Amino acid sequence: MKSKVPIEKKVLGKNDEIAAGIRRRLQKEKIVALNLVSSPGSGKTSLLERTLGALNHTLNLALVAGDVQTENDAQRLIRAGGAKVRAIVTGGACHLDANMVARALEDFDLGGVDILFIENVGNLVCPSSFDLGEDMKVVVMSTTEGDDKPLKYPAMYRRSSVLVINKTDLLGQSDFDVDRAKKNALSINGALTIFEVSCRTGAGLEAWYTWLTALAARKKGGS
Amino acid sequence: MKSKVPIEKKVLGKNDEIAAGIRRRLQKEKIVALNLVSSPGSGKTSLLERTLGALNHTLNLALVAGDVQTENDAQRLIRAGGAKVRAIVTGGACHLDANMVARALEDFDLGGVDILFIENVGNLVCPSSFDLGEDMKVVVMSTTEGDDKPLKYPAMYRRSSVLVINKTDLLGQSDFDVDRAKKNALSINGALTIFEVSCRTGAGLEAWYTWLTALAARKKGGS
């Protein structure tokens, strides 16, 4: 596989250029951009559904939802209402890249938007390498997937700024130890902001909403 | 990303050559080889721990366990006992390739082995493209990751011969509908053999053990 390295570097260079363009546009419009990453099924879409339901009267939200196949996530988010939603079907690719996002945003009216959520493909490896022009990556972990995941997929945890531990309603039904999960995550990246939530019961989500609202206000304030 | 395609084809061509070599060796020694694939945290390692515990008195089992970082899985499987275990740390790569497996098998004494399990990196996308010389891919899905996953990651389900639905003890605690999951999986690949198990309680595992035992017997019988 060594022969791939120079090409990948070239591809990433081009990706970073396009990502920088996205970042400039979002910065100019004072839009917070969050790139949501996780394994398949950890609950990124559920977290976004909840967030739209809670914040769409106070914030102007936009979403780009990526999937390898189907527009299921985008459809769920459109049904959740209150946000502008675009789907990206990668058609086999294991991650979003900046070019896909740039194309999705091309004729997307972002006027007045406070937060743009980019829901990445469910994959704990490849999306970690691709800058999409976001302010930060938010990694979602579910309590059913094992508390050792930060150690096994360190790049993703290293490159994320926020960790949302979802499905806390299922704690106690597996060997998952939330303190060990946090300790493992912080051993990889001590700067992580951590939320513990259940998108099923709603527990813990207020802190996430408060954090998002403050983030949007700070951006609009220009800092 | 178009510039990557020819290189990827070349890499896959080389991969397939190496995989064919592995397949010839395993075929000659009449060893069943199963490539276990899934999202992170669906329970591949737990399934293997259970399987070793149940079958290591009647079958000769060997394992190659791949991870992006850590040898945690291999260590867990060594503790489970009764099998020859090799770890592969991919060091960032999002999948196992045939070359990694060939290197792990190089000085691995496979004499008398009935079944070789290859535990792939937790990733529902990239490992689907890499032949490792296996007889078949076994995709593990957990009941906490959403019943629409076969539709969203069709390549993996199309290229697998067996689906193990794990964590059935958690059914009813989420919106996961096991019949819908099976229907979705079969709509992608009507030839899938499906097992429903709980590696936590042991429910449903007898059918899996029986199937493995018959598979090994058939291989040793030469058919």
Side-chain angles (χ1 to χ4, degrees):
Chain A
M1 305 293 286
K2 271 176 192 143
S3 59
K4 274 181 75 181
V5 175
I7 298 282
E8 269 184 3
K9 274 201 181 143
K10 206 166 130 195
V11 171
L12 280 180
K14 181 72 185 157
N15 183 82
D16 289 353
E17 256 177 55
I18 300 172
I22 297 173
R23 186 168 283 113
R24 275 193 302 273
R25 175 177 169 198
L26 297 174
Q27 193 61 33
K28 198 174 149 196
E29 308 205 35
K30 299 189 174 183
I31 298 170
V32 174
L34 301 177
N35 178 357
L36 267 71
V37 292
S38 79
S39 331
S42 63
K44 292 186 297 305
T45 312
S46 301
L47 181 64
L48 289 174
E49 283 176 319
R50 280 279 192 177
T51 304
L52 294 192
L55 296 182
N56 69 16
H57 297 299
T58 53
L59 290 175
N60 194 336
L61 306 172
L63 286 122
V64 174
D67 257 315
V68 176
Q69 283 300 341
T70 82
E71 298 191 356
N72 288 4
D73 289 353
Q75 292 304 327
R76 277 175 62 187
L77 293 166
I78 287 166
R79 283 196 297 274
K84 299 166 178 176
V85 180
R86 277 293 159 86
I88 300 177
V89 176
T90 70
C94 51
H95 58 269
L96 292 182
D97 63 37
N99 194 37
M100 297 176 198
V101 175
R103 281 204 313 261
L105 293 182
E106 218 161 61
D107 58 344
F108 199 170
D109 176 13
L110 293 174
V113 165
D114 295 298
I115 305 179
L116 169 70
F117 294 99
I118 304 168
E119 183 181 352
N120 219 311
V121 172
N123 181 337
L124 269 184
V125 191
C126 317
S128 76
S129 303
F130 289 82
D131 182 7
L132 306 179
E134 72 270 4
D135 287 295
M136 54 184 100
K137 287 187 175 66
V138 176
V139 58
V140 182
M141 166 201 273
S142 92
T143 64
T144 51
E145 69 188 57
D147 48 40
D148 61 344
K149 289 300 166 290
L151 305 179
K152 293 168 83 175
Y153 302 89
M156 192 62 98
Y157 283 82
R158 199 171 297 124
R159 291 173 191 155
S160 294
S161 307
V162 179
L163 164 62
V164 177
I165 303 178
N166 186 26
K167 307 192 190 179
T168 53
D169 54 300
L170 294 177
L171 281 172
Q173 312 235 16
S174 68
D175 303 325
F176 185 96
D177 180 320
V178 75
D179 289 325
R180 198 161 52 216
K182 288 195 280 187
K183 199 179 138 206
N184 286 340
L186 290 169
S187 77
I188 299 296
N189 178 356
L192 279 172
T193 299
I194 302 181
F195 297 94
E196 297 171 45
V197 310
S198 164
C199 291
R200 193 165 167 80
T201 67
L205 284 168
E206 276 305 326
W208 163 249
Y209 302 148
T210 303
W211 179 81
L212 286 174
T213 304
L215 196 66
R218 211 156 63 225
K219 190 76 153 202
K220 288 287 183 247
S223 67
Chain B
M1 304 292 286
K2 273 176 190 142
S3 60
K4 275 182 75 179
V5 175
I7 298 282
E8 268 184 3
K9 273 200 181 143
K10 207 167 131 194
V11 171
L12 281 179
K14 181 73 185 158
N15 184 83
D16 289 352
E17 256 176 55
I18 301 172
I22 297 173
R23 187 168 283 113
R24 275 193 300 273
R25 175 177 169 198
L26 297 174
Q27 193 60 33
K28 197 174 151 198
E29 306 205 37
K30 299 189 176 183
I31 298 170
V32 174
L34 301 178
N35 178 358
L36 267 70
V37 292
S38 79
S39 332
S42 63
K44 293 186 297 301
T45 312
S46 301
L47 179 66
L48 289 174
E49 282 176 319
R50 280 278 192 178
T51 305
L52 294 191
L55 296 182
N56 69 15
H57 297 298
T58 53
L59 291 175
N60 195 336
L61 305 173
L63 286 121
V64 173
D67 258 315
V68 176
Q69 282 301 342
T70 83
E71 297 192 357
N72 288 5
D73 289 353
Q75 292 305 326
R76 278 174 61 186
L77 293 166
I78 287 165
R79 283 196 298 274
K84 300 166 177 175
V85 179
R86 277 291 160 87
I88 300 177
V89 176
T90 69
C94 51
H95 58 269
L96 292 181
D97 63 36
N99 194 38
M100 297 176 198
V101 176
R103 281 204 313 260
L105 294 181
E106 217 160 62
D107 58 344
F108 199 169
D109 176 13
L110 294 174
V113 165
D114 295 296
I115 305 180
L116 170 69
F117 294 98
I118 305 169
E119 183 181 353
N120 218 311
V121 173
N123 180 337
L124 270 184
V125 190
C126 317
S128 75
S129 304
F130 289 81
D131 182 6
L132 305 179
E134 72 269 4
D135 287 294
M136 54 184 100
K137 287 186 175 67
V138 176
V139 59
V140 182
M141 167 201 275
S142 92
T143 64
T144 52
E145 70 188 57
D147 47 42
D148 60 344
K149 289 301 166 290
L151 305 180
K152 293 169 82 174
Y153 302 89
M156 193 62 99
Y157 283 82
R158 199 171 297 126
R159 291 173 191 155
S160 293
S161 307
V162 179
L163 164 63
V164 177
I165 302 177
N166 186 26
K167 308 192 190 178
T168 53
D169 54 299
L170 294 177
L171 281 172
Q173 313 234 15
S174 68
D175 303 325
F176 185 96
D177 180 321
V178 75
D179 289 325
R180 198 162 51 216
K182 288 196 280 186
K183 201 179 136 205
N184 286 340
L186 291 169
S187 77
I188 300 294
N189 179 354
L192 279 171
T193 299
I194 302 180
F195 297 95
E196 296 170 46
V197 310
S198 164
C199 290
R200 192 163 166 81
T201 68
L205 284 167
E206 276 305 326
W208 163 250
Y209 302 148
T210 303
W211 179 81
L212 285 174
T213 304
L215 196 66
R218 211 156 63 223
K219 189 77 152 202
K220 288 287 183 245
S223 68

